[in-house]
Amino acid sequence: MKSTRRGKIEDRIHLGKMGISPLRVLGKKLSCGQVSGCYRLWVEVCEKPMPQARKPREPRVLCFIAIFLMLLAVSATQLSADTISGTIKDPSGAVVAGARIEISGESLSQPVVLTTDSAGKFTAPNLSAGKYAVKVSKEGFGDIETNLELQGSAELALSLTIAAQQTSINVTGKAAAYVNSDPVYRQLRDLGLGTSYHCENFTLRMDVGTFELKSGTLTLFALVNRFETGAIFVGQGHFSLKPMARLDVQELKRRTGNETAEADFGDVVFRFSGGVYPQFSGALGQQVETPKEAVEVFQRWKNRVRHRHEVPEGFTQAILEDDTVDNVDADVAAAIYNPKHPAFMNAYMNGTPHKDLRFFIRTRVGAIPQLDSPEEVGLINVNGGGMDDGIWYLQHLVSELKVHTASSEEDRRLFATKRYNIETVIGKNNRLASRATITFAALVPGERVLKFGLLANLRVLRVSDENGKDLHFIQEDRKQDGSFYTVLDEAPEVGKEHAITVEYAGDKVVYEAGDGSYYIAARTSWYPNLNGFGEKALYDLTFKVPHGNVVISVGKLQGQSTEEGFAVSHWVTPVPVAVAGFNYGRYTRMDFPDPVTHYTISGYYLSELPNSLRAFGGSPGGSINSAIQANALAAMAPGAMTKYVLDQTRAQMQVCSFYFGKAPYDHIEITEQPNFNFGQSWPNLVYLPISAYIDSTQRWMLFGRIDQKFTGFVQEVTPHEVAHQWFGHGVGWASYHDQWLSEGFAEFAAGLFLQQAMGPKWQKDYIEFWQRLHQRMLEKNNWGVAANDAGPIWMGLRLVSPRSEQGYVNLTYPKGAYVLSMLRSVMYSDEPKVENRDQAFIDMMHEFMETHVDKPASTESFKTVAEKHMTKVMDLQKNGRLDWFFNEWVYGTQVPRYALKYDVQPEGGNQVKIKMEITQSEVDGSFVMFVPVFADFGKGMIRLGQVPVTGNTRRTVIFHVDKAPKKVELNAYKDVLER
């Protein structure tokens, strides 16, 4: 029975394409790593009869059988056994099952019709020699036909093309010859070993790391264009790392139990750029025969770094093996092509107990570019699901630390992207084919190799320059180090714009969710993305999709048309944005006016349920529960619930505009997605989970209970994602250290929405919001570790460890919100004559937005803005700086506990004296915080003021008021984080 949604109330739930049950998805939120605006809820053997004994055959029967076999053998020599077989693939190289094969020929009275199997194969046996035509067709692809003259057997390898893309992507054999065939890259990929030397008691100091090559052999790699590119040590060695900074010492101790990293190794593979080799010259003793162990080590290293896990086993695999996985050979090729390429050295150690300990020094691009790391030096223990898996050390060069020049705002780019012009076709089979023209400018002289983030399932077909000339490109198999690199024929002049065009196709971007509903994956890597969220560029996007479906994209819609049965839409971003994305499905549009801010607000909803929800539809004669669930689904009214969501959006746009300033985009598109447990925000485009369109009655009917954490998620997700138009897109972040400025500030804005947009009875929802955040940070997990114990919020994704898997999401979001809330509380004016007591905070946030329109924000740059707007009472150190606040809450992990005793006494002149004793504990002696004090005089809590308290101490203060309060409280609205 087809499920429809034509009722009074819209109610949709998606339990995820992984088949997660309702109870398992309730109650947790999960970040999407570095993707801005991701807000996620976590919450027999058969026995055969024995054959009967047979009677011996009679001689006449045996004779007849012998004659028959002889005749059969004779006739067989006269029949043809010729065969046509083959494999059908799509443009990405994936096999195509279910393709129709039609074979016609002179000797056939009628065509032979076959269908390819699950491996894309077909076989037509017992054909006569002669001429044949083979035609292949498959819905969503263009037909292809080939002719052949059959003599014996013919094995065909045929590739289909996306139907609507035949005239725009034409891959020739010449273009295919440019993949992985660059001569320098080919030498590196097929590299052999060179000369070996005895090595004894050699010490190699590299920044904070020290290698002791005690005894063994050092084997150099064969020269590539006269460059030394690496070496292998086999023998007895030891590595040590001693951090300089206090935070690094603490992190290393949390990871290893020690303040220094110490590891013995039996072999280590070094790969480096040209200028590093001289540091190894002192290790070269007498020349010796290359040991077989060196060959084995090299092969084992290649197997390790060239292999990607389909499902990451731990955090380091997830980070290092993403869409920009290192292809070490391509990275070395970049250094060979440019002798002035920023220096790097990678060391891969194998020892006991650490089998894959990696020490990286990479200038300019960062030690771990997949993490957007500004630091140049890193130590990573890659141990899958092991308890010591993780990033042990990540810091700037010692030379920068000593002279205080290290900064999260360092430019790590080699090229700056200016514009993307992308034409994309989505076939009826949900496969994607695109042509992207990327305009860029070099930032570093001599660079010829560009590295892009691109989903490994999207296979590059051709790369060409502005004149249409084919360029070499690198993209190994998706199960290997299959990142996409392009090699320019010559280094472009710094600052001068150039362009390349990339043609590619594949799958795993769009997944069907049922009846016009689709999951959109690879949201940052569906196109060749040069620098991720690290910069903003202009986008010109054209989409061609099957008729009846709608694309909603970043940018402004410029026009729509129909072409060859495909719906075509054209979108352009009027201002540079950090990322491009789209939603896709059989959507209906609804516009919603905003007479206050004059933003254009539009909503897009689906009229049919995704497949994942139809399981709740029940069946005739089913249980009472299934009947209740079926009634809940039948009552859904997508239009009505979309109006509710758009009303929330409008209110949040007004709140954010008032507190933070005008958003950088004058319109916003709110789109429903079949994903149940997370929302996401792209520039002017919001993906809301289907759960945001469900009311509490329908949640009870579907799940049989009301979960308060899930209710909180539904309550928060829309204002959180809308706020990302300011935080995350209006203002980006400089590095992983600074993502709290995006996620935390958007979370704060969700709380602000509950306070400012929910009417006069806002207090309960607002307080419960902050209580949920408090629980996420301070509640201990099964390992006895709270998110706040994992480290300072400034550590970002490095908070994730086997003992704190949710450390990042359960600290970055809530504590980031609390940091901003505490600044607001401290800046709040207690002067009764002030028109807007939040004015200092509002001015700070407006300037923060205005000064970071064209550059990403760092923790340090936000601190500078905050110091400019700090009040006099905040200048505790009398130096105009907020070091005390940021050291405590951003770079620290202390959380105070407060206790209050008070006494109310009458005074003369109708005055009342409130004497309070405030105790602060569980912090160090220098910890200071302003504690807000509230009193209830019969109409709810009113703020009396704030009291600074230093260290573990008890402070007595007196307030004079006009009448006796019913109750006095500290921190009544949870403005300050406390235990």
Side-chain angles (χ1 to χ4, degrees), residues 86 231 310 398 487 536 647 667 694 793 806 824 860 863 904:
E310 286 287 330
V398 168
V487 183
K536 294 181 179 181
D647 192 34
H667 70 292
I694 300 173
I793 189 175
Q806 304 305 318
R824 181 192 182 198
E860 294 76 17
K863 179 173 177 283
V904 179

Side-chain angles (χ1 to χ4, degrees), residues 196-239:
S196 297
Y197 300 89
H198 180 69
C199 181
E200 194 81 19
N201 294 327
F202 176 74
T203 299
L204 176 66
R205 291 184 173 84
M206 306 289 287
D207 200 77
V208 292
T210 300
F211 295 87
E212 296 179 60
L213 309 183
K214 297 178 180 179
S215 179
T217 59
L218 190 68
T219 302
L220 302 178
F221 288 116
L223 291 174
V224 178
N225 280 23
R226 296 179 296 178
F227 282 90
E228 299 282 2
T229 65
I232 297 174
F233 173 80
V234 177
Q236 294 181 342
H238 182 80
F239 173 80

Side-chain angles (χ1 to χ4, degrees), residues 28 59 146 228 293 325 359 415 454 685 694 779 783 885 893:
K28 298 181 183 176
T146 185
E228 299 282 2
E293 290 83 0
V325 57
F359 180 69
F415 299 88
L454 183 67
L685 172 63
I694 300 173
E779 186 177 64
W783 293 99
F885 182 89
T893 61

Side-chain angles (χ1 to χ4, degrees), residues 15 21 23 44 47 159 274 302 325 332 356 419 527 716 735 742 750 794 800 865 956 963:
L15 299 181
S21 69
L23 295 181
E44 280 105 87
E47 294 184 359
S159 293
K302 288 190 290 186
V325 57
V332 175
D356 191 0
R419 292 180 299 280
Y527 62 96
E716 300 160 23
S735 77
S742 170
W794 185 77
V800 177
V865 174
T956 300
K963 67 176 182 177

Side-chain angles (χ1 to χ4, degrees), residues 597-611:
T597 64
H598 304 292
Y599 291 113
T600 301
I601 303 173
S602 300
Y604 293 80
Y605 62 89
L606 300 161
S607 60
E608 300 295 335
L609 288 169
N611 292 338

Side-chain angles (χ1 to χ4, degrees), residues 88 117 437 627 747 825 929 969:
I88 307 301
D117 61 17
T437 298
E747 191 80 331
S825 176
M929 191 56 199
E969 278 188 30

Side-chain angles (χ1 to χ4, degrees), residues 602-640:
S602 300
Y604 293 80
Y605 62 89
L606 300 161
S607 60
E608 300 295 335
L609 288 169
N611 292 338
S612 57
L613 278 189
R614 297 189 181 187
F616 290 90
S619 59
S623 66
I624 294 177
N625 285 340
S626 65
I628 292 174
Q629 292 170 339
N631 290 335
L633 297 182
M636 293 182 175

Side-chain angles (χ1 to χ4, degrees), residues 3-20:
S3 297
T4 59
R5 303 190 299 178
R6 295 184 177 90
K8 294 182 179 179
I9 303 173
E10 181 180 27
D11 193 341
R12 291 162 284 182
I13 294 182
H14 162 54
L15 299 181
K17 57 190 176 183
M18 302 303 293
I20 301 174

